[in-house]
Amino acid sequence: MSVFDAHDFDDHEQVTFCHDRNSGLKAVIAIHNTNLGPALGGCRFWPYASESEAIKDVLRLSRGMTYKAALADLQLGGGKAVIIGDPAKDKTVEKLRAFGRFVQRLHGLYITAEDVGTTPKDMITIYEETRYVVGRETHEGGSGDPSVLTAFGVFTGIRACAYYKMGKEDLSGVRVAVEGLGHVGLDLVKRLSEAGASLVVTDINQPLLEKVSRQYGAQAVGVEEIFSADVDVFAPCALGGILNDATIPRLKCQIVAGSANNQLAESYHAKILEKRGILYAPDYLINSGGLINVSYEGPKYNLQEVMTHVGKIYYTLLEIFEAAKAHSITTSEASDCLAKDRFNKK
């Protein structure tokens, strides 16, 4: 099967397969749309079970970045990169630099950044081969780890959802289940705890799960139990495809709002959530804080300006919820319509 025939191919402008024999690098860079500007999206380092799984992921992720940038009012397009391998075992300086050379060959059409399996430190290594990289550590002229701003955006989005669905002005007493305690999930848990929310948490890392449970007084549950937790909000903060035929019937929440990309396994799952009366915050909008942050990177970087911009997620979500209600469509469809309207105007 060719890329053009792939289920997740969505008129992508360019898909580049990268192989460096000396370092062993195997990577894919997908550029979805550049109508609004150069494609910006992180580089994911992940042990995909097959090359087809890697291609599927990079196609879906790059598409999401186009929509994310459009809804965030950024003059950027959507792109993504994936490096095939286990970051704990296979990541080397040689592979990162080889990847940087492939990015350089695109001459600014794609700008890379940190993602799952990569770090701001890795961006410094990539920067040795190309200037088309953002998200480096602050002492190296970057804006640092963008996950803090991603978490702030998700927190802001949960506040908007609670207001729209529950009439709550704040999150005190709101029960939230957080799935995944990576950089974003951890910071989100901290913000939710400080806001007075009651927490249920899970992660595949048992020692980390126990530590977070003790630190924030959260109820720790198994990775499968989290779906049936009796909560107000379910916040997926791990990998995608988490909302599917098997998991949605188990949900007991009123709201789904989390940082994970591509939470809906298939587009029709948005309709199933709606039928169950569950308000869904489109993932590529609520998790756009990190993208907004790196878009400001440069000598005039101002954190307060970034946070003000990320804070607008609150109002964009309310706009989408109202549009979905007015047109009798899902929030996912309403979000897509608004994004397409923006990035198709050239």
Side-chain angles (χ1 to χ4, degrees):
M1 181 183 69
S2 72
V3 171
F4 300 111
D5 295 324
H7 175 70
D8 295 291
F9 182 80
D10 183 52
D11 292 326
H12 284 69
E13 294 177 8
Q14 183 170 332
V15 179
T16 302
F17 293 85
C18 313
H19 176 237
D20 180 70
R21 182 182 300 175
N22 292 333
S23 67
L25 173 76
K26 290 184 178 180
V28 186
I29 300 172
I31 296 170
H32 177 253
N33 186 289
T34 57
N35 282 355
L36 294 177
L40 193 156
C43 172
R44 177 166 294 190
F45 206 124
W46 192 252
Y48 293 99
S50 65
E51 290 182 14
S52 62
E53 285 298 311
I55 294 169
K56 176 181 179 179
D57 205 28
V58 79
L59 290 176
R60 296 192 72 184
L61 291 168
S62 57
R63 176 186 181 276
M65 292 303 295
T66 297
Y67 286 69
K68 184 182 298 190
L71 287 187
D73 279 326
L74 300 174
Q75 296 302 301
L76 293 168
K80 208 76 173 184
V82 297
I83 296 176
I84 301 172
D86 184 341
K89 300 176 182 177
D90 304 323
K91 187 195 298 184
T92 64
V93 169
E94 290 75 21
K95 283 184 181 178
L96 294 173
R97 293 193 64 164
F99 172 73
R101 291 192 290 275
F102 279 106
V103 172
Q104 182 62 29
R105 291 178 190 176
L106 296 174
H107 301 290
L109 194 61
Y110 167 68
I111 303 168
T112 198
E114 177 261 354
D115 201 278
V116 175
T118 57
T119 66
K121 184 178 179 180
D122 295 334
M123 296 306 108
I124 297 172
T125 302
I126 295 171
Y127 187 70
E128 293 176 6
E129 299 290 345
T130 179
R131 62 189 179 91
Y132 301 115
V133 54
V134 293
R136 291 172 290 142
E137 292 179 323
T138 52
H139 68 275
E140 291 285 345
S143 57
D145 188 350
S147 62
V148 176
L149 275 302
T150 301
F152 175 63
V154 175
F155 174 76
T156 299
I158 290 175
R159 286 180 51 242
C161 292
Y163 173 75
Y164 186 83
K165 183 73 174 179
M166 304 166 64
K168 290 276 295 181
E169 295 283 353
D170 58 50
L171 296 178
S172 60
V174 174
R175 192 163 168 81
V176 184
V178 179
E179 182 215 20
L181 300 173
H183 289 178
V184 176
L186 276 175
D187 195 80
L188 178 61
V189 165
K190 179 177 180 292
R191 293 178 186 276
L192 290 169
S193 178
E194 291 172 349
S198 175
L199 296 165
V200 179
V201 295
T202 195
D203 194 90
I204 58 174
N205 185 329
Q206 191 63 32
L208 174 62
L209 177 61
E210 293 172 359
K211 177 183 177 181
V212 171
S213 176
R214 290 193 303 269
Q215 184 174 354
Y216 295 102
Q219 178 186 352
V221 299
V223 292
E224 288 299 319
E225 295 176 75
I226 196 77
F227 299 107
S228 55
D230 189 4
V231 295
D232 300 303
V233 182
F234 173 53
C237 296
L239 297 179
I242 207 69
L243 301 172
N244 52 53
D245 292 338
T247 59
I248 293 176
R250 297 165 59 189
L251 296 176
K252 296 179 181 178
C253 59
Q254 301 183 58
I255 297 163
V256 172
S259 67
N261 287 305
N262 300 317
Q263 294 169 26
L264 301 172
E266 299 291 345
S267 58
Y268 70 81
H269 288 120
K271 192 66 177 178
I272 297 177
L273 288 170
E274 182 195 40
K275 287 181 178 179
R276 291 206 54 209
I278 298 173
L279 181 66
Y280 171 63
D283 48 39
Y284 61 77
L285 167 58
I286 195 172
N287 69 12
S288 62
L291 175 64
I292 294 170
N293 180 61
V294 296
S295 75
Y296 277 79
E297 193 166 289
K300 296 183 179 180
Y301 177 82
N302 184 298
L303 179 58
Q304 190 54 53
E305 288 183 7
V306 174
M307 294 191 72
T308 298
H309 193 152
V310 175
K312 294 178 182 178
I313 290 173
Y314 185 100
Y315 303 101
T316 305
L317 275 171
L318 294 183
E319 178 184 353
I320 285 170
F321 295 156
E322 289 294 345
K325 181 179 179 181
H327 298 286
S328 299
I329 57 178
T330 66
T331 57
S332 183
E333 290 170 323
S335 182
D336 284 355
C337 287
L338 179 58
K340 286 177 181 177
D341 184 58
R342 292 183 180 181
F343 70 74
N344 281 330
K345 287 181 179 178
K346 186 177 181 182

